[in-house]
Amino acid sequence: MSDNIVKIIPQDPYDKIPESTLLKAQIFLEGEIQCDFIETKNSEIPMFIDCGSNFEKILCPVCGKELNFKWWGETVNNAYKSMFASLKTKLPCCGNIISLNELKYQFPCGFACWIISIINPIGPIKGRVTDSVQKILGVNVRIIEAHI
């Protein structure tokens, strides 16, 4: 059986949230959303937060060209060698320097030091719920929808 996971991450990949604050957001979500379960994870360094089998392609945010998955994998591996001290990279298509977090992932993906995962939610997670989570966490968030 497959699962749908809504992942809530910060806009800023280096943003850190105390466990107690993540727990407050989790408790709020558990009262607002019907789902199998909700879990949180914190990390000292950014993690790549993917969209599972929805991951189709990566586009340059500057020139719009499709980027090769092999190039992307090598670039992420090189960034990991420095424990993601920087996500900046030179794009092979147009030579611009941008963050790996700024690439146009289709479907959306990103990098983050924390994540809230909502497993098999019933209905979309947006609007008032997203606004409330942002207030609890004190940061702007992104939604990653994964299918595994």
Side-chain angles (χ1 to χ4, degrees):
M1 186 173 129
S2 61
D3 289 310
N4 290 309
I5 305 171
V6 173
K7 303 173 180 181
I8 301 173
I9 65 171
Q11 294 271 347
D12 178 352
Y14 294 98
D15 185 53
K16 307 273 175 113
I17 297 284
E19 286 288 337
S20 60
T21 305
L22 280 177
L23 181 60
K24 286 178 189 174
Q26 180 178 348
I27 291 168
F28 167 78
L29 288 166
E30 288 170 343
E32 295 290 319
I33 297 169
Q34 286 185 321
C35 64
D36 288 352
F37 62 95
I38 299 172
E39 62 186 13
T40 63
K41 182 177 182 180
N42 249 329
S43 174
E44 288 300 312
I45 63 171
M47 308 169 280
F48 180 64
I49 310 301
D50 68 76
C51 60
S53 63
N54 290 338
F55 200 2
E56 295 176 358
K57 59 185 170 181
I58 307 165
L59 301 173
C60 172
V62 179
C63 70
K65 290 192 177 169
E66 188 168 346
L67 299 170
N68 180 293
F69 275 102
K70 183 179 182 205
W71 168 84
W72 179 82
E74 290 170 355
T75 303
V76 170
N77 285 338
N78 286 336
Y80 179 74
K81 288 177 186 174
S82 69
M83 305 308 282
F84 296 113
S86 174
L87 292 172
K88 296 287 185 191
T89 189
K90 184 177 181 179
L91 295 168
C93 47
C94 59
N96 283 291
I97 296 175
I98 60 124
S99 167
L100 290 167
N101 200 49
E102 296 170 328
L103 294 173
K104 289 190 175 189
Y105 297 98
Q106 293 185 351
F107 287 52
C109 299
F111 288 82
C113 289
W114 58 265
I115 179 173
I116 299 171
S117 298
I118 305 166
I119 315 304
N120 295 319
I122 296 174
I125 312 298
K126 53 183 158 183
R128 181 187 61 77
V129 172
T130 304
D131 291 344
S132 294
V133 168
Q134 289 183 136
K135 286 178 185 167
I136 292 166
L137 298 171
V139 298
N140 291 328
V141 300
R142 297 170 62 185
I143 303 293
I144 309 295
E145 295 186 18
H147 184 77
I148 56 169

